[in-house]
Amino acid sequence: MKVKVTGFVHLHVHTEYSLLEATCRLEELIQKAKSFGMNSLAITDKGRIDGAIRFYELARKYGLHPVIGCEIKVNDAGESLILLAATNSGYARIVKWLNNGFSPPPPFPGDVIALSGGRNGSIYRLLARGEMDLAEEQAREYAKCFGEGNFYLEAQDHGLADERMIMERTVKLSQKTEIPLVATHDAHYLVSEDASLLQMLQNNPQTQQTAARPFYFPSPQEMEEKFCGLPAALANTGIIARRCQVRLDPGCYRLPQFPVPESWNEEAYLKHLCLEGLHRRFALQALSDGEQQKVMERMEQELAVIFARGLASYFLIVWDMVKFARQSKIPVGPGRGSAAGSLVVYLLGVTEVNPLVHELSFERFLSPDRADLPDIDLDVCQVRRPEILQYIKDKYGAGRVVHIGVLNTFGTRGAIREAGKYLKLPEEHIDLLAKLLPPFTGQGGIRHCLEKLPELRKLPVRQEPYQSLFHYAQRMEGLPRNHSAHPSGILIGHEELAGVIPLQHRPNGALMTSFNKEDIQALGLLKIDLLGLRNLSVINGAFQTIRNLTGREIEVKDIPLDDPDTFRTMEKGDTLGCFQLESMGIRSLMRRLKPQNLEDLTALLALYRPGAWQEGIVETYLRRRHGQEKSSFLLPELEEILSRTYGLILYQEQVMQIAHVLAGYSMGEADSLRRVLAKKSAAGLARHRQRFVRGAMARGRSQEEAAAVFDFLARFAGYSFNKAHSVSYAYISYWTVYLKTHYPKEYMAALLSLEGGYYDKRVYFRETVKMGIPLLVPDVNGSGFGFLPEKEGIRIGMDAIKGSGPEAVASLLCSRQKDGHFTSFQELVKRMKAYGVKRPVLQGWIAAGACDSLGDNRRQMIFSLNSLQNSLFAGESLDTIEDFSASEKRRKEKLLLGFSLVQPPSHKWRQFLKRYQIAPIDTLCEGQKNKRVRICGAIIHSRRHPTGNGEYVLFLVLQDHSGMVEVSLYPKTYKACLYELNPQGIIVEGILHSEDKNLHIVAEKIKAMGG
């Protein structure tokens, strides 16, 4: 049915970006406007312009003319105006007002069009009170402020009791002042039924009456009926919309200028630095003429693309950041993402991965056929990342360096919690239900869970309160709730950013934009990902400890990349605590793959992806690697490209090479093909199929051969991985395994201190002990902050004790430095009292064993502490007071440290294992393969994996006092045992499976511990 086109335009609309004050989802709003036959639409979020970029792009996608504006507060009484950007200058002015506060501007020629603000405007409120003279004065003031023809009085009719009278007064005011009218409707939700959703979002009894009002999104026909007596007010909506011609297309990059030395320009200076790097990175004299030419040509080709794209300043800015970090001895990663494929980036010292050695593609990083800015992402030491940020702010100005925002939405869990709170359901019930759900974001997650998850299938979802709970939660799911800072994204502006993008202050006072990284990219602004990587901090911490204990200086460049012992550690799968190599799944794959060099490790990281498993790529790779299956190639040209990966496409760079060699694609075109293959766009695939076949045939291949290769690419290329990223992270993985192998005590101490692992800290406590490194109790005379290696083992830090805050630990260290070690418990109490350390802290130190070296037993010290602080206990003898039992010590240590240092299992525990015939995990072996076993332990990790028929397999990692093992629950067992899955402990009975020494249990029965 053809939709009638209307001239009316909505100019007062609040969207989801008004954050809990409206529920209009942008795309649904635009689709609704389109279904009404509208050709233009405005959004005017309250105090925000955060949705402007996404709205602009969506509106153009659907063929609507976008009008960008906002509702801005103009005084402390909360009164507001609607401001619409007529030009790009007007848009910038609105952004500046939002950032710095509204101030009446001098007359200017129509960059901004203002509406009176409706019910929240001062004129409306004055008219409601009958203060006509003041309303006229205010209206004339606004008209003068914004200029003739740039200020309009809003006429609104929401069907509320007082509005007819106020509209009559507004019409009279318009006639008297000759300020034109415009018909608007204050829309906060698409349909009237969503008023209750807004009420729930606000969850405030004071807002319930407001939320119940009909602030929906009416059709143009309804507006024309309401305002049939005011045709000019209707016509003015279209006139205003046509005047608003903001263009947010960047057109060019808006990059900051890098301050180059005098007499240099940016391009010349960048080339100069590259030539310096060329001599530093390569022993040119040792290279043949052909090798030298290859390196020089690659550098010149890359620089030509960089210069043509106007990006020299970008590369210099990143070079300068990394230079500062390295000079300050702040650890920087070897590379991240596709930037490691650039020789220029390598020559600048930004990355440590030689792209020529690893056959990496520059065009995967920066293509002349791709308009968007490239990403040079940096991993740096998490602990010292703030120093780099401060350096950037000092260099470019605090007003030009801001954190990029993230719009947080209600996910499955958050929506359930919020809906449960609104329905006043018991908090413990809602918490239990929310924890059953996976942390999906966006819409559709709750519906999927209701349909597929065994945990929810048994719930009476059609009965109250569950029916209302899931109904409200699904409506809320995906709506924005607040902004936070991106963990790594920062923006460096070409000018003060207060007039360019919306800004707000983070809790720590730093500036943040509420635009996300996609918005920043669309505007052509410079975004840099500066990620604080904890593993780099762990590596650096291990180096510092090695230096302190042995006096040996060691850096990553000193680590040999061909160490046999390191690869033996990988082959055994003993990589718990090592970067990217921790999960049971990847350790199992590593034992089967048996990496022998960095190239194998790179392949391992690329293989461990869901798609590669689902398509059978992993199993085929392993069979071919171990000689159980012959590698095959569709054409001889593919052998050189795919021989190292046994005829399989593992890397995106291989896809590009195939297109380049076989079909004559430029590398830039090949990158475009790669992106189409990943997205599986039907139109794009059809276009590239023709291009690929035509190019291959021109190089002597038949149509059938070319089509077969393209089909091969179409099937497997989507599962390929960025080799540049995989190589970069393989380096970090290797370094961590090397340190764990050769400096186990120092590495594990750093890992525990910085909590740098994938699992809970308790897992690493057990791993440390399993490695033969004793964990030593905290000691008031030996411990400080963090875990410290000693000759006998690793000493637990005082800050690891629950309730022992940094102030108390700092006081202890200060006292020790000033007055020496403590010789008695009484001395400790006296000296700590002087520093204001409270009794509960001292009790925690005693119970955790930190005072054991002072002579008395733990119960005696508790009694002594009471007597020292309470005269009622004075005079009683300590000699007759016996110490806590082993089980009491174990319980208190678990409470305060998270685990017990009383290592041998208690008599009661041994009796339990014997009675129920439970095997310690470390006794499981290949000799028990396909036999029934029974184990018990705590669930330290779990993940669901969908099956082909829409059900789920549940994988658990179980840990007891001796080790860890993976347990699989197939759908039937999962459904039958799901209410026995107590995270604190379960008994599992099942069949032990083994493949290449990788043990796992397929569960048949599960019982909750204590049940």
Side-chain angles (χ1 to χ4, degrees):
M1 187 177 91
K2 190 173 181 180
V3 178
K4 179 187 174 185
V5 177
T6 174
F8 173 78
V9 179
H10 274 292
L11 298 176
H12 192 142
V13 181
H14 298 271
T15 77
E16 56 190 318
Y17 285 88
S18 285
L19 295 192
L20 309 183
E21 297 209 25
T23 65
C24 298
R25 301 175 197 263
L26 267 189
E27 191 152 13
E28 292 178 6
L29 172 68
I30 290 169
Q31 289 171 340
K32 187 91 169 175
K34 195 69 179 173
S35 72
F36 285 157
M38 301 179 73
N39 55 25
S40 188
L41 178 67
I43 62 167
T44 55
D45 287 305
K46 192 169 184 178
R48 296 182 177 276
I49 206 161
D50 307 344
I53 308 299
R54 183 164 168 252
F55 169 67
Y56 183 83
E57 292 176 342
L58 281 172
R60 292 199 303 174
K61 171 184 170 183
Y62 284 94
L64 281 180
H65 170 61
V67 177
I68 295 173
C70 72
E71 178 180 336
I72 191 167
K73 190 172 77 168
V74 296
N75 57 36
D76 293 337
E79 294 170 338
S80 58
L81 292 172
I82 298 295
L83 302 182
L84 305 173
T87 64
N88 279 38
S89 297
Y91 171 80
R93 188 181 292 272
I94 290 174
V95 169
K96 193 169 288 187
W97 279 333
L98 287 171
N99 290 331
N100 301 327
F102 178 78
S103 57
F108 54 94
D111 285 338
V112 174
I113 298 172
L115 315 185
S116 59
R119 299 180 64 83
N120 288 329
S122 57
I123 293 173
Y124 185 101
R125 294 179 180 180
L126 290 168
L127 292 175
R129 295 196 296 265
E131 299 179 43
M132 301 297 293
D133 291 342
L134 288 177
E136 180 184 343
E137 182 182 332
Q138 180 70 87
R140 291 188 186 279
E141 185 179 329
Y142 280 140
K144 180 181 178 182
C145 174
F146 289 98
E148 186 177 351
N150 299 319
F151 177 69
Y152 289 78
L153 295 170
E154 290 184 65
Q156 294 184 337
D157 183 3
H158 303 94
L160 301 172
D162 60 347
E163 283 189 325
R164 181 62 56 185
M165 172 195 69
I166 295 171
M167 192 190 298
E168 290 174 358
R169 293 176 178 176
T170 303
V171 171
K172 289 180 181 177
L173 180 61
S174 171
Q175 291 169 344
K176 186 174 182 180
T177 60
E178 296 184 346
I179 297 171
L181 293 170
V182 62
T184 67
H185 192 97
D186 189 3
H188 286 254
Y189 35 84
L190 286 182
V191 293
S192 296
E193 292 76 16
D194 279 347
S196 58
L197 175 60
L198 181 59
Q199 180 178 326
M200 179 176 61
L201 283 173
Q202 295 174 333
N203 201 20
N204 184 345
Q206 294 179 346
T207 67
Q208 290 182 10
Q209 185 182 0
T210 301
R213 292 172 180 168
F215 297 131
Y216 60 94
F217 187 71
S219 70
Q221 290 73 25
E222 184 178 345
M223 291 296 289
E224 287 165 5
E225 290 173 9
K226 284 183 177 182
F227 295 96
C228 59
L230 297 171
L234 290 166
N236 283 338
T237 64
I239 293 170
I240 292 171
R242 286 190 293 274
R243 282 186 57 195
C244 294
Q245 296 294 329
V246 172
R247 294 285 180 271
L248 294 181
D249 312 74
C252 60
Y253 306 133
R254 295 193 271 182
L255 303 180
Q257 265 196 321
F258 180 78
V260 296
E262 194 174 346
S263 80
W264 292 91
N265 62 38
E266 292 173 339
E267 294 181 358
Y269 192 57
L270 178 61
K271 185 169 184 177
H272 164 71
L273 293 173
C274 287
L275 289 171
E276 283 187 343
L278 200 63
H279 292 280
R280 188 175 61 253
R281 293 289 197 184
F282 296 93
L284 291 179
Q285 294 78 6
L287 298 180
S288 67
D289 291 344
E291 289 171 328
Q292 286 189 33
Q293 185 178 357
K294 181 182 176 183
V295 174
M296 290 297 295
E297 285 180 355
R298 172 74 176 257
M299 184 190 77
E300 293 290 353
Q301 287 169 0
E302 290 191 14
L303 286 173
V305 174
I306 292 167
F307 295 162
R309 296 280 299 274
L311 296 173
S313 180
Y314 179 20
F315 282 74
L316 289 170
I317 289 167
V318 177
W319 161 77
D320 182 63
M321 288 169 54
V322 175
K323 178 188 170 190
F324 165 78
R326 296 197 193 282
Q327 288 178 341
S328 305
K329 299 195 179 303
I330 300 172
V332 180
R336 179 161 159 246
S338 58
S342 168
L343 179 63
V344 165
V345 175
Y346 176 64
L347 296 177
L348 290 173
V350 173
T351 60
E352 294 298 319
V353 176
N354 186 336
L356 303 181
V357 169
H358 296 284
E359 298 178 343
L360 305 178
S361 167
F362 171 71
E363 288 79 8
R364 172 62 185 85
F365 162 62
L366 177 58
S367 164
D369 300 316
R370 199 167 67 224
D372 52 321
L373 276 167
D375 284 327
I376 304 179
D377 300 336
L378 301 173
D379 290 325
V380 299
C381 171
Q382 186 184 49
V383 174
R384 300 188 64 189
R385 178 177 180 263
E387 295 176 49
I388 303 176
L389 288 175
Q390 190 59 51
Y391 171 77
I392 300 167
K393 290 175 183 177
D394 291 343
K395 187 170 189 104
Y396 298 99
R400 292 172 60 186
V401 179
V402 301
H403 294 264
I404 295 172
V406 174
L407 186 63
N408 301 310
T409 61
F410 285 100
T412 48
R413 293 175 176 175
I416 287 290
R417 292 184 194 279
E418 203 67 25
K421 189 194 303 180
Y422 176 71
L423 294 170
K424 295 182 170 55
L425 300 182
E427 191 173 327
E428 59 273 17
H429 293 182
I430 294 303
D431 186 58
L432 181 63
L433 183 57
K435 286 177 179 177
L436 289 176
L437 302 174
F440 291 144
T441 57
Q443 290 179 273
I446 291 175
R447 183 172 63 251
H448 172 84
C449 293
L450 289 171
E451 293 171 356
K452 303 296 183 183
L453 286 191
E455 289 90 337
L456 298 188
R457 282 184 174 180
K458 293 189 177 183
L459 284 178
V461 295
R462 298 190 182 281
Q463 298 177 19
E464 295 296 350
Y466 296 108
Q467 186 171 13
S468 293
L469 175 69
F470 288 113
H471 170 71
Y472 280 122
Q474 285 185 76
R475 291 168 66 195
M476 186 187 300
E477 197 178 22
L479 284 172
R481 63 186 309 174
N482 55 41
H483 280 99
S484 63
H486 190 278
S488 60
I490 59 169
L491 168 64
I492 305 177
H494 59 299
E495 59 180 304
E496 289 290 319
L497 291 168
V500 181
I501 53 174
L503 302 174
Q504 59 189 70
H505 286 278
R506 298 176 66 195
N508 64 2
L511 282 175
M512 177 185 88
T513 176
S514 44
F515 276 171
N516 62 26
K517 55 190 179 73
E518 290 78 19
D519 298 333
I520 296 304
Q521 188 173 354
L523 291 174
L525 296 167
L526 176 59
K527 172 186 75 72
I528 295 175
D529 266 7
L530 187 68
L531 180 67
L533 191 63
R534 194 176 298 172
N535 300 83
L536 291 176
S537 302
V538 171
I539 292 169
N540 191 52
F543 287 163
Q544 288 177 343
T545 305
I546 293 166
R547 193 179 306 120
N548 294 339
L549 291 180
T550 69
R552 182 186 171 191
E553 292 286 340
I554 182 172
E555 299 179 33
V556 290
K557 63 182 176 60
D558 303 318
I559 295 177
L561 294 175
D562 57 354
D563 178 61
D565 291 336
T566 299
F567 288 109
R568 274 193 286 273
T569 300
M570 293 184 198
E571 193 172 331
K572 291 185 290 184
D574 289 340
T575 53
L576 192 64
C578 298
F579 181 64
Q580 299 272 297
L581 303 176
E582 293 210 66
S583 73
M584 297 290 286
I586 198 164
R587 286 192 284 144
S588 171
L589 177 59
M590 187 161 42
R591 292 188 193 102
R592 297 176 65 193
L593 192 146
K594 298 177 173 52
Q596 300 300 309
N597 49 51
L598 199 68
E599 186 175 355
D600 290 345
L601 186 54
T602 300
L604 173 77
L605 297 181
L607 277 169
Y608 194 64
R609 310 278 157 189
W613 284 103
Q614 291 162 9
E615 277 295 322
I617 296 171
V618 174
E619 295 299 333
T620 303
Y621 182 94
L622 291 171
R623 287 194 302 271
R624 293 181 179 182
R625 174 176 172 80
H626 298 305
Q628 298 161 359
E629 179 181 306
K630 189 177 179 182
S631 300
S632 60
F633 307 93
L634 287 173
L635 295 173
E637 294 95 322
L638 300 187
E639 186 169 357
E640 185 178 349
I641 298 170
L642 301 179
S643 59
R644 292 186 182 180
T645 54
Y646 308 101
L648 299 169
I649 296 175
L650 226 58
Y651 306 117
Q652 295 166 352
E653 288 85 344
Q654 290 174 311
V655 176
M656 297 169 63
Q657 285 177 299
I658 290 171
H660 176 63
V661 169
L662 194 69
Y665 276 64
S666 70
M667 290 301 283
E669 283 181 293
D671 181 61
S672 173
L673 169 63
R674 173 195 64 80
R675 285 179 283 133
V676 167
L677 290 169
K679 293 178 181 176
K680 299 191 182 296
S681 157
L685 286 171
R687 186 177 70 254
H688 273 286
R689 175 183 287 274
Q690 290 182 356
R691 163 72 179 90
F692 188 92
V693 171
R694 188 172 64 250
M697 289 174 66
R699 279 159 179 73
R701 287 297 168 186
S702 70
Q703 184 174 350
E704 292 73 19
E705 288 173 328
V709 174
F710 189 86
D711 290 339
F712 174 63
L713 291 175
R715 180 179 176 188
F716 294 109
Y719 306 114
S720 60
F721 192 64
N722 182 346
K723 186 179 182 183
H725 184 72
S726 197
V727 171
S728 301
Y729 272 21
Y731 275 90
I732 304 178
S733 297
Y734 179 88
W735 295 337
T736 58
V737 181
Y738 178 89
L739 288 170
K740 186 181 181 185
T741 302
H742 293 281
Y743 300 94
K745 194 186 296 183
E746 293 85 349
Y747 181 74
M748 294 306 292
L751 183 77
L752 289 167
S753 294
L754 292 157
E755 299 186 7
Y758 177 73
Y759 295 111
D760 182 84
K761 186 186 282 188
R762 289 171 296 178
V763 173
Y764 305 105
F765 289 154
R766 295 194 189 281
E767 176 70 2
T768 303
V769 174
K770 183 182 172 185
M771 292 165 64
I773 304 170
L775 282 171
L776 309 175
V777 293
D779 184 2
V780 292
N781 279 322
S783 296
F785 288 104
F787 292 70
L788 297 174
E790 296 182 3
K791 185 177 180 181
E792 296 80 12
I794 294 176
R795 180 73 63 186
I796 298 174
M798 295 297 291
D799 55 327
I801 303 171
K802 187 177 180 181
S804 182
E807 296 85 359
V809 179
S811 297
L812 178 78
L813 294 176
C814 184
S815 176
R816 231 165 53 197
Q817 185 178 16
K818 181 182 177 184
D819 299 314
H821 282 185
F822 304 97
T823 58
S824 69
F825 179 68
Q826 288 75 16
E827 182 188 353
L828 172 72
V829 174
K830 182 180 179 182
R831 283 162 61 177
M832 289 300 94
K833 185 177 180 181
Y835 282 91
V837 177
K838 303 296 182 184
R839 173 175 163 181
V841 174
L842 294 171
Q843 287 178 325
W845 291 358
I846 296 167
C851 302
D852 287 358
S853 63
L854 299 179
D856 297 334
N857 69 48
R858 297 183 192 182
R859 197 191 291 271
Q860 286 173 339
M861 284 186 279
I862 293 287
F863 186 88
S864 180
L865 180 64
N866 291 332
S867 65
L868 286 169
Q869 296 190 348
N870 190 333
S871 59
L872 291 175
F873 296 95
E876 295 192 32
S877 173
L878 299 179
D879 297 338
T880 59
I881 300 175
E882 294 185 2
D883 199 1
F884 295 113
S885 67
S887 61
E888 287 177 307
K889 286 184 178 180
R890 184 181 291 108
R891 182 177 58 80
K892 290 178 182 293
E893 287 177 3
K894 279 186 176 179
L895 179 66
L896 290 164
L897 297 173
F899 85 117
S900 173
L901 290 164
V902 182
Q903 289 300 326
S906 67
H907 176 68
K908 185 177 178 182
W909 179 252
R910 290 195 299 270
Q911 280 186 320
F912 171 78
L913 297 180
K914 184 176 179 181
R915 178 182 174 188
Y916 290 99
Q917 297 180 315
I918 293 170
I921 288 174
D922 68 351
T923 65
L924 301 177
C925 62
E926 290 207 24
Q928 299 167 286
K929 183 178 177 180
N930 298 326
K931 290 185 179 179
R932 187 177 303 281
V933 296
R934 186 179 293 157
I935 62 169
C936 70
I939 300 171
I940 62 169
H941 186 70
S942 66
R943 61 184 174 89
R944 300 180 181 94
H945 186 76
T947 64
N949 61 2
E951 295 189 296
Y952 277 89
V953 178
L954 181 66
F955 294 98
L956 306 175
V957 177
L958 219 63
Q959 184 183 49
D960 69 0
H961 66 281
S962 68
M964 296 162 57
V965 71
E966 187 169 76
V967 178
S968 309
L969 281 72
Y970 285 93
K972 184 178 178 181
T973 309
Y974 185 9
K975 292 174 193 173
C977 301
L978 62 93
Y979 291 112
E980 298 290 342
L981 297 174
N982 176 9
Q984 300 304 314
I986 56 175
I987 301 173
V988 175
E989 186 175 314
I991 304 300
L992 182 68
H993 289 252
S994 173
E995 186 173 4
D996 290 342
K997 299 182 181 180
N998 297 307
L999 301 176
H1000 76 277
I1001 295 171
V1002 175
E1004 293 181 346
K1005 296 178 184 177
I1006 288 180
K1007 181 74 173 173
M1009 296 277 279

